[in-house]
Amino acid sequence: MINVAIFGFGVVGSGTAEVLTQNAKLISERVGDDINIKYILDLRDFPDSPFKDKIVHDVDVILNDPEVSICAELMGGSHPAFEFSSAAMKAGKSVVTSNKEVVANFGPELLKIASENNVRYLFEASVGGGIPVIHPIGNCLTANDITEVNGILNGTTNYILTQMINENKDFGTALAEAQEKGYAERDPSADVDGIDTCRKISILSAMAFGKLVPPDKVQTEGIRNVTLRDVANAAKFGASIKLIGKAVRVGDKISACVSPTLVRHSNPLSGIGDVYNGVLVNGNAIGDVMFYGRGAGKLPTASAVVSDIIEIATFLTHPTHNVPVWERLSDDEILPADKLKSRWYLRFDKKPNHCLCMLDAEVIEDSEDCYAVVTGEVSLLEIGVTLSEKFTAMRVL
Amino acid sequence: MINVAIFGFGVVGSGTAEVLTQNAKLISERVGDDINIKYILDLRDFPDSPFKDKIVHDVDVILNDPEVSICAELMGGSHPAFEFSSAAMKAGKSVVTSNKEVVANFGPELLKIASENNVRYLFEASVGGGIPVIHPIGNCLTANDITEVNGILNGTTNYILTQMINENKDFGTALAEAQEKGYAERDPSADVDGIDTCRKISILSAMAFGKLVPPDKVQTEGIRNVTLRDVANAAKFGASIKLIGKAVRVGDKISACVSPTLVRHSNPLSGIGDVYNGVLVNGNAIGDVMFYGRGAGKLPTASAVVSDIIEIATFLTHPTHNVPVWERLSDDEILPADKLKSRWYLRFDKKPNHCLCMLDAEVIEDSEDCYAVVTGEVSLLEIGVTLSEKFTAMRVL
């Protein structure tokens, strides 16, 4: 059994406990051992939580327990996150975190402590929520000389900008609605003034170049001054305005900044709307590669935290390396694709003679043409049995 | 020094040699040791290649050389790739590959041989070219119960479909042009009939579910029957036709298929055009996450091959784990963002009194409005010095 302690039982902390519990069986199989939440450190008590018995208020209980091998620091803020993480690593425990502030401010020191104590310090969840970004840059793009990283790194500002672009709402209105929906805080400054993006691009500068641009050296401008006139002008130019964190190497120097940016529609970042994030990395072999998904939220962020925990736990159970086992599926475990339910597009060579309504279909026809979109989920087998006409079918995703 | 042998000196093999050579210095730094190409196995000789002295024709030279610790199998095809890879691993060498055919057909056996011989078998390059897909699913989404994978996995067919959608060219014309440009083979069957996509979704089914749907059990349909009428109908419905490889779990069964699919514009795969690939993964914690980039090509594929080599080499030099070292940049290593050259959007509160042509600017104005797009790359500092008017500036990406 591998024992884990969670530091901070807020949104991400409770999400982490939830994912570890809900997916316990498959996590056990992947790790080769059970992962047990032994402690949850928080100042508060949670009498109604199923995890109430795990709550401790004193970090020393965790630091002094040799059974705990992994700590998940999910408190946020630089202090005492830095002190607690340092102490845990000095006590021989690996640390995973979602805390971008402490990684941007103290990453060099924390990684040094990890190295000196032969433990891990992992922080996939600190950038892009659950989207794999840190690990792929650090492990899958290593053949590349990385030249530039551009990212939409904050879901709140991207939601506000999307509302300005698609719904023609001005900044103030879009912000107020984002606050109503819980996408923006009552004090929205960390998001709309670019502070959150600044910390994340600082971390990405270090991942890309091995050299961290400290957050206070990242020229940072938020989205408060973006007007609907800018949005309309950008559209005329074939671009969408996005808050972009940028880190780039120019000769032997590195530059990092955060600013509203006109992203042309030829750039894959331009199509990323709502609360989604995207990170576009350019390397000299790979060219452009982009990682996309939900950049925040309880379970997506917990996905990254728990995957980091699994990485460390797997190393503890398989000190050399864990080679995956692949079974080949037998026929009775395979669902043939014509039995797989889906929405469908049907093309008829000539107009069908009778109504397609028995298929729950939205039918669109014109004088010579006929096609139908089946909006209910059915299998191709069922359609074939129902229709007598000849048709070509394609799935709708 | 870590010695590598390359099996097959075709496009990917020569790209791999090129990336290992061109990025040798940074790869050395990352690994902590030099990587040396000791042998290149090929039936042919390459008297004009800088690597001509490395060429050998007999695989036993490599298998019997204990100095070789990593083999890169870049030959393609099931045989003798399977036999050579098996023999290399049984001789204690780790193997990396870009060969989707052998991984889809013999992945379960090859991984078992790796495990039995305590070596690695890595195949990031087999799906999505250089885009990190295999490694992120296997290492960064491990907290998730993965439910579904959908991917645009073949650049040739995506290029043809993009030409049909954007340029209204029919399949035959688009194919002929793709062949002219070198995007499609003279015998295009492996691409346009979905065989390549079939192998890749077979591999992804194993990554997602630990269970491989054998390629001959993946219902596979290519794009030959997609008409311009389908493309137009799809557009009316708000969708783009893409060749999608799909693997999904339904209850206790798994289904995998390859077919032309209407991808609605709300789905991030719909925007992926030309030769680009994208893989969309759904997990119960992360929600949707997508990986995007060039799915083929000499250097992008070599990027994945070499990154896999680096992963194994790093493990050889750092048997516990390699903690990255982050330096914090000093002020003189940082290029301030206002000195960073860029294209710019400028918004003026009122029309500037004089021409902006000294900025190499395309100027678009209307009766009340004025903005300019500076199409030449200049720094904000230079703009500020040049213009006397008050303006708001945003970068253009």
Side-chain angles (χ1 to χ4, degrees):
Chain A
M1 187 152 68
I2 290 163
N3 287 292
V4 171
I6 292 173
F7 293 1
F9 201 51
V11 173
V12 180
S14 59
T16 297
E18 190 177 323
V19 170
L20 281 171
T21 309
Q22 191 186 331
N23 292 346
K25 188 166 164 286
L26 71 89
I27 292 171
S28 260
E29 285 168 12
R30 284 171 188 171
V31 170
D33 200 349
D34 291 340
I35 292 186
N36 174 52
I37 302 170
K38 186 159 184 185
Y39 303 110
I40 295 170
L41 178 72
D42 205 291
L43 294 173
R44 301 161 289 181
D45 281 306
F46 295 86
D48 301 327
S49 163
F51 300 97
K52 65 184 174 195
D53 297 337
K54 318 273 192 181
I55 301 284
V56 293
H57 304 301
D58 179 3
V59 71
D60 287 333
V61 174
I62 297 165
L63 299 177
N64 294 330
D65 184 341
E67 286 190 348
V68 173
S69 46
I70 304 169
C71 299
E73 184 274 288
L74 312 171
M75 302 185 296
S78 286
H79 307 283
F82 172 70
E83 289 74 16
F84 286 6
S85 298
S86 306
M89 291 193 283
K90 287 175 183 168
K93 304 168 196 316
S94 287
V95 173
V96 307
T97 189
S98 61
N99 183 343
K100 53 232 163 206
E101 185 177 335
V102 79
V103 178
N105 286 333
F106 296 102
E109 289 75 17
L110 288 162
L111 287 167
K112 189 154 179 277
I113 294 169
S115 179
E116 288 165 353
N117 293 277
N118 202 26
V119 295
R120 309 289 296 273
Y121 184 68
L122 300 182
F123 44 89
E124 180 61 70
S126 68
V127 179
I131 312 166
V133 174
I134 298 295
H135 204 281
I137 295 178
N139 293 278
C140 309
L141 301 177
T142 45
N144 291 269
D145 192 7
I146 293 176
T147 48
E148 185 163 352
V149 180
N150 288 284
I152 295 172
L153 302 169
N154 179 273
T156 305
T157 45
N158 205 42
Y159 177 81
I160 292 170
L161 289 170
T162 303
Q163 289 290 307
M164 293 175 72
I165 295 165
N166 293 351
E167 310 293 335
N168 204 39
K169 289 172 184 164
D170 66 20
F171 171 77
T173 309
L175 170 60
E177 288 184 8
Q179 287 171 316
E180 249 169 59
K181 293 196 177 192
Y183 291 159
E185 307 280 334
R186 241 174 315 168
D187 175 2
S189 178
D191 294 318
V192 302
D193 294 325
I195 300 166
D196 177 74
T197 300
C198 163
R199 290 172 181 146
K200 290 170 176 169
I201 198 66
S202 171
I203 295 169
L204 289 177
S205 72
M207 287 308 303
F209 309 119
K211 304 198 173 194
L212 182 125
V213 182
D216 61 350
K217 296 290 162 58
V218 177
Q219 284 190 20
T220 299
E221 187 194 336
I223 63 166
R224 287 187 199 267
N225 296 322
V226 177
T227 65
L228 286 175
R229 190 172 144 193
D230 294 326
V231 168
N233 287 339
K236 280 191 217 167
F237 182 63
S240 300
I241 298 181
K242 300 288 176 189
L243 183 66
I244 295 291
K246 183 189 196 72
V248 55
R249 200 183 46 231
V250 183
D252 57 355
K253 299 202 177 191
I254 288 166
S255 192
C257 60
V258 175
S259 61
T261 300
L262 270 69
V263 183
R264 284 172 293 177
H265 293 147
S266 55
N267 186 309
L269 291 172
S270 78
I272 296 182
D274 292 329
V275 297
Y276 284 85
N277 284 20
V279 180
L280 186 67
V281 181
N282 185 276
N284 72 340
I286 180 81
D288 280 337
V289 63
M290 188 177 80
F291 307 96
Y292 164 95
R294 281 188 176 273
K298 182 176 178 171
L299 294 184
T301 307
S303 163
V305 171
V306 173
S307 295
D308 276 353
I309 292 174
I310 291 172
E311 179 172 335
I312 297 167
T314 305
F315 180 79
L316 294 173
T317 54
H318 299 83
T320 53
H321 37 252
N322 185 23
V323 178
V325 175
W326 281 4
E327 294 172 40
R328 195 175 272 110
L329 275 173
S330 61
D331 284 2
D332 61 351
E333 295 173 295
I334 296 174
L335 181 71
D338 60 3
K339 290 188 184 167
L340 183 63
K341 287 179 191 292
S342 176
R343 283 171 295 257
W344 293 92
Y345 160 82
L346 306 179
R347 183 186 77 210
F348 298 91
D349 291 328
K350 53 181 187 183
K351 274 194 192 190
N353 291 324
H354 58 273
C355 173
L356 300 174
C357 49
M358 65 282 205
L359 278 174
D360 184 20
E362 173 192 350
V363 183
I364 305 166
E365 325 181 19
D366 65 23
S367 54
E368 353 161 45
D369 206 6
C370 182
Y371 72 101
V373 174
V374 184
T375 55
E377 303 239 327
V378 292
S379 73
L380 195 53
L381 217 59
E382 292 170 280
I383 296 178
V385 168
T386 310
L387 296 186
S388 50
E389 285 82 5
K390 210 181 143 210
F391 62 88
T392 298
M394 292 189 214
R395 280 173 210 286
V396 176
L397 198 62
Chain B
M1 185 152 70
I2 289 163
N3 288 293
V4 171
I6 291 173
F7 293 0
F9 202 51
V11 173
V12 180
S14 59
T16 297
E18 190 178 325
V19 170
L20 280 170
T21 309
Q22 192 186 332
N23 292 346
K25 187 165 167 286
L26 71 89
I27 291 171
S28 260
E29 286 168 12
R30 284 171 189 170
V31 171
D33 200 348
D34 291 341
I35 292 186
N36 174 52
I37 301 171
K38 187 160 184 185
Y39 303 111
I40 295 171
L41 177 73
D42 205 290
L43 295 173
R44 301 161 289 182
D45 280 307
F46 295 86
D48 301 328
S49 163
F51 300 98
K52 64 184 175 201
D53 297 338
K54 318 274 189 181
I55 300 284
V56 294
H57 304 300
D58 178 3
V59 71
D60 287 335
V61 174
I62 297 165
L63 298 177
N64 294 329
D65 185 341
E67 284 190 349
V68 173
S69 45
I70 304 170
C71 298
E73 185 273 289
L74 312 171
M75 304 185 296
S78 285
H79 307 284
F82 172 69
E83 289 74 16
F84 287 5
S85 298
S86 304
M89 291 193 283
K90 286 175 182 168
K93 304 170 195 317
S94 287
V95 173
V96 308
T97 189
S98 61
N99 182 343
K100 53 232 163 204
E101 186 178 333
V102 79
V103 178
N105 285 334
F106 296 102
E109 289 74 17
L110 289 162
L111 286 167
K112 189 153 178 276
I113 294 169
S115 178
E116 287 166 353
N117 292 279
N118 203 26
V119 296
R120 309 289 298 272
Y121 184 67
L122 300 182
F123 44 89
E124 182 61 67
S126 68
V127 180
I131 312 166
V133 174
I134 299 294
H135 204 281
I137 295 178
N139 293 277
C140 308
L141 300 178
T142 44
N144 290 269
D145 191 8
I146 293 176
T147 48
E148 186 163 351
V149 179
N150 288 283
I152 295 172
L153 301 169
N154 179 274
T156 304
T157 44
N158 205 43
Y159 178 80
I160 293 171
L161 289 170
T162 304
Q163 289 291 307
M164 293 176 71
I165 295 165
N166 293 351
E167 310 294 335
N168 204 38
K169 290 173 183 162
D170 65 21
F171 171 76
T173 310
L175 170 60
E177 289 185 9
Q179 286 171 318
E180 248 168 60
K181 294 197 174 188
Y183 292 159
E185 307 280 337
R186 241 174 317 166
D187 175 2
S189 177
D191 293 319
V192 302
D193 294 325
I195 300 166
D196 177 74
T197 301
C198 164
R199 290 171 181 147
K200 290 170 177 170
I201 198 66
S202 171
I203 296 170
L204 289 177
S205 72
M207 288 307 303
F209 309 119
K211 305 197 173 196
L212 182 125
V213 182
D216 61 350
K217 296 292 162 59
V218 176
Q219 286 191 17
T220 298
E221 185 193 337
I223 63 166
R224 288 189 199 265
N225 296 323
V226 177
T227 66
L228 286 175
R229 188 172 147 195
D230 293 327
V231 168
N233 286 340
K236 279 191 214 165
F237 182 62
S240 301
I241 297 182
K242 300 287 177 190
L243 184 65
I244 295 291
K246 181 189 198 73
V248 55
R249 203 184 42 232
V250 183
D252 57 355
K253 298 202 177 192
I254 289 168
S255 192
C257 59
V258 175
S259 61
T261 301
L262 270 70
V263 183
R264 284 172 293 178
H265 294 146
S266 55
N267 186 308
L269 291 171
S270 78
I272 295 181
D274 293 329
V275 298
Y276 284 86
N277 284 19
V279 180
L280 186 67
V281 181
N282 185 276
N284 72 341
I286 182 81
D288 280 337
V289 63
M290 189 177 79
F291 307 97
Y292 164 96
R294 280 186 178 273
K298 184 176 176 171
L299 294 184
T301 307
S303 162
V305 171
V306 173
S307 296
D308 275 354
I309 292 174
I310 291 172
E311 180 173 332
I312 296 167
T314 305
F315 179 79
L316 294 173
T317 54
H318 299 83
T320 53
H321 37 253
N322 184 24
V323 177
V325 175
W326 281 5
E327 292 172 41
R328 196 175 271 112
L329 276 171
S330 61
D331 284 1
D332 61 352
E333 295 172 293
I334 296 174
L335 181 71
D338 59 2
K339 290 188 183 166
L340 182 63
K341 286 181 192 290
S342 176
R343 286 171 293 260
W344 294 92
Y345 158 83
L346 306 178
R347 184 187 75 211
F348 297 91
D349 290 328
K350 52 181 187 184
K351 275 195 190 189
N353 291 324
H354 58 274
C355 173
L356 301 174
C357 49
M358 63 282 205
L359 279 174
D360 182 21
E362 172 193 349
V363 183
I364 305 166
E365 324 181 21
D366 65 21
S367 54
E368 353 159 44
D369 205 6
C370 183
Y371 73 102
V373 174
V374 184
T375 57
E377 302 241 329
V378 293
S379 73
L380 195 54
L381 216 60
E382 291 169 279
I383 297 178
V385 168
T386 311
L387 297 185
S388 51
E389 285 83 4
K390 210 181 145 210
F391 62 88
T392 300
M394 294 189 212
R395 279 173 211 284
V396 176
L397 199 61

